Amino acid sequence: MNDFIFQSPTRFVFGRGFVDRVGEEVRGLGARHALLVYGGGSAARSGALDRVRASLAAAGVNFDELGGVRPNPEVSLVREGIELARAQGVDLVFALGGGSVIDSSKAIAFGVPYQGDVWDFFCGKAKVGACLPVAVALTIPAAGSEGSPSCVISNDELQVKKGTSSDALRPRVAVMDPELTFGLPPYQTAAGVTDMICHVCERLFSNAGPVPVTDNVAHGIIRAIMGAARVVHGRPDDYDARATLMWAGSLAHNDLCGCGRGPAAGRRAGGWESHGLEHEISAHHPEVAHGAGLAVILPTWMRFAWRSNPQPFLSFARGVFGIEPDDDSDAARERAVLAGIDALEDFLAQLGMPRTLGELGLSPSDVDTWVRTLAQNKGPVFGEVRPLDMDDARAIYLSAF
Ligand code: NZQ
Ligand code: ZN
C-alpha cells in the first residue's frame, strides 16, 4: 500500500426532504449573503429552486441569483458571476445542481478575491489561494464535485476544457436529497452512472497494488452503483436506489477509492487517461454529456492499455463481475480481462449509453483536432498504466468509432 493523505472535509447532509435544510446549513457557516447558482431550468421545474429560496430566506440569508449554467460550463458565465458577487458583497456561493453548476460556483468562489482574469487559474498562471466558501444542494449524482477538490471549465473562444484542483475547493457543505433526482431523465441518469464508475476505475487502474482494502471498497461501490442503476432504470422514483446512486457518486470521487493506490502521499491515484481523452471531446462538442463520452472511451482505453499491467484489470473482472480465468495460462487471463471489459460495456449500453463515438454524432475527421488540444493540455505523453503518446491517443479515438 503506497503512502497517502485522505482528506474529505465536506459535511454531507443526506436525507429525504433535506433540501429544505439548506438555509440553516448556510447560516451555520456564518454566511449572510449568498450567490445562488443554478442551471438551465430543471431546478425551477422540479420546485427545488423555490424550496432553496424559501429555506435561505427563512434562515435570514440574503441572496442574489445566477441561473443559466449550461452542461460543460463556460467561463463567460463564471466571469459574470464574479462581477455580480463582488458588486453584491457575497460571502458564500451556493450551487443548486450538478457538476456544471458546482464547478461554476467553485470558479466564482476563487475568482472573486483574485485581481486578474479567472482563466489564469486554468492555464497555470495562478494557483488557488483565497476562496469564498461553497455550499451545494446536489440534483444529479455524477461528477462528484460536491466532495471533490476539482473544478472543470470550458473556454469556447480557445476551444479548450480545463481543470484546476485544490483542497480549498472541496465544498464546505453538500446537502444531498435523493428525492431531487427522481425526475432525472434516463439518459442523464445513465451518463452520471458512467461518470461515477469511471471515477473509481481511473484510480483502480494504476500501477500500485493490489491494495485489498481500497480495491474491495472500489469494487463494492461499482457493484452497488450497477445494482441501483438497474432498479432506477425501471423505477425512477425508487428512493433507496436513487439514494444509493447519490452517495456512491460522492464516494467514487472523494478519493476514498484511491487510498494507497497513488504515486505518493497527496498525489491522486491513477493516470486519468479516459478523462483526459474525453475532456477533449466535450470541449469541442459541448452537446456531448461527459458521461456519455466516457461510456465509449473507458472500455476502448481498457482494451488498449490492459496488457501493460493486467493485475488491476483481472481484479476488476473478478471483483465486479465474478469473472475468473479458467486456468493459469496467459490466454485464460486475456479472456477474463476482455470478458470484464465487455461486461462493463454491455451494462452501460443496456442503460442507453453509446458504444461508439459515431452514435454521439461525432466523426473520425474530428480526431486530429482533439489530438492537437490534448497535446496542449497533457503534453506529449500522459497516463500511468500505459503511458500514451499522441499516436496512441489517435489510435484510441479512431478505434472508438
Ligand atoms: O441545466 P439543467 O436544466 O439543470 O439540466 C441539467 C443538465 O442539462 C440536468 N439536470 C441536473 N439535475 C437534474 C437535471 N435534469 C432533471 N432533473 C434533475 N434533478 O442534467 C444535465 C447535466 O448537468 P451537469 O451538471 O452538466 O451534469 P454532471 O453532474 O454530469 O456534470 C458534468 C460536468 O462536470 C465535469 C464534467 O467535465 C462536466 O463539465 N466534471 C467535474 C468534476 C469535478 N469537479 O470533480 C469531475 C468529473 O470528472 C467531471 O469532469
Ligand atoms: Zn468524470
Side-chain angles (χ1 to χ4, degrees):
M1 192 187 298
N2 292 347
D3 299 345
F4 66 92
I5 297 169
F6 175 60
Q7 170 169 317
S8 188
T10 303
R11 173 178 158 91
F12 292 98
V13 181
F14 193 108
R16 209 186 277 267
F18 276 19
V19 67
D20 299 319
R21 295 190 180 198
V22 298
E24 61 187 274
E25 290 297 329
V26 166
R27 191 73 202 176
L29 293 173
R32 296 179 168 278
H33 196 136
L35 179 65
L36 169 55
V37 183
Y38 48 91
S42 74
R45 284 194 300 277
S46 70
L49 182 56
D50 278 342
R51 289 170 73 182
V52 167
R53 286 174 178 145
S55 181
L56 291 173
V61 179
N62 294 324
F63 57 93
D64 286 279
E65 298 190 11
L66 180 74
V69 175
R70 71 160 207 215
N72 301 312
E74 220 271 326
V75 68
S76 51
L77 195 72
V78 171
R79 292 186 180 119
E80 216 178 286
I82 291 168
E83 291 306 317
L84 179 60
R86 283 183 187 148
Q88 300 300 326
V90 156
D91 57 8
L92 176 139
V93 188
F94 189 91
L96 172 61
S100 297
V101 171
I102 302 170
D103 288 359
S104 298
S105 302
K106 289 178 176 180
I108 293 168
F110 58 74
V112 165
Y114 179 65
Q115 298 303 314
D117 178 36
V118 69
W119 190 253
D120 290 353
F121 291 96
F122 297 91
C123 62
K125 280 196 202 155
K127 270 200 161 36
V128 175
C131 183
L132 295 179
V134 174
V136 172
L138 188 66
T139 66
I140 172 172
S145 186
E146 67 278 6
S148 87
S150 312
C151 170
V152 187
I153 299 289
S154 292
N155 185 320
D156 285 357
E157 197 188 334
L158 304 178
Q159 287 210 308
V160 289
K161 182 176 186 184
K162 281 188 167 269
T164 186
S165 197
S166 161
D167 277 321
L169 298 186
R170 294 189 193 257
R172 300 279 293 277
V173 170
V175 175
M176 318 269 281
D177 183 343
E179 287 181 341
L180 292 191
T181 68
F182 283 5
L184 259 181
Y187 191 84
Q188 289 298 345
T189 303
V193 161
T194 309
D195 193 20
M196 55 180 95
I197 289 176
C198 196
H199 292 159
V200 180
C201 288
E202 299 276 22
R203 293 173 168 93
L204 264 184
F205 301 135
S206 61
N207 284 334
V211 184
V213 63
T214 296
D215 300 353
N216 280 299
V217 166
H219 297 154
I221 286 175
I222 296 177
R223 290 199 309 270
I225 293 169
M226 292 176 61
R230 289 194 183 99
V231 172
V232 161
H233 200 56
R235 291 200 305 276
D237 56 358
D238 185 298
Y239 180 83
D240 283 330
R242 286 290 190 189
T244 299
L245 291 182
M246 193 170 238
W247 187 224
S250 301
L251 296 182
H253 200 38
N254 76 344
D255 289 328
L256 178 68
C257 296
C259 294
R261 300 202 64 89
R267 300 261 311 277
R268 194 162 67 171
W272 289 80
E273 298 85 351
S274 298
H275 271 68
L277 292 162
E278 193 294 313
H279 277 164
E280 299 313 321
I281 297 175
S282 50
H284 292 283
H285 309 271
E287 72 284 3
V288 172
H290 169 61
L294 289 172
V296 181
I297 293 294
L298 174 63
T300 309
W301 169 79
M302 289 169 77
R303 290 189 184 99
F304 188 87
W306 74 269
R307 277 189 183 76
S308 299
N309 180 7
Q311 185 274 325
F313 296 87
L314 273 168
S315 169
F316 170 85
R318 180 182 299 123
V320 175
F321 294 106
I323 297 169
E324 297 280 358
D326 316 322
D327 55 49
D328 228 10
S329 65
D330 285 349
R333 276 197 282 273
E334 173 164 358
R335 280 194 300 277
V337 168
L338 294 179
I341 301 171
D342 288 348
L344 174 65
E345 190 182 86
D346 289 347
F347 163 75
L348 297 175
Q350 282 156 16
L351 295 183
M353 287 288 97
R355 289 178 191 269
T356 67
L357 294 179
E359 288 170 58
L360 289 168
L362 304 167
S363 150
S365 62
D366 297 324
V367 167
D368 281 343
T369 311
W370 305 341
V371 172
R372 182 173 49 75
T373 49
L374 181 70
Q376 286 164 10
N377 270 332
K378 294 286 182 189
V381 178
F382 76 106
E384 180 172 323
V385 167
R386 173 171 172 179
L388 305 176
D389 64 22
M390 293 304 119
D391 288 337
D392 296 330
R394 182 177 285 102
I396 294 171
Y397 283 137
L398 288 173
S399 67
F401 280 95

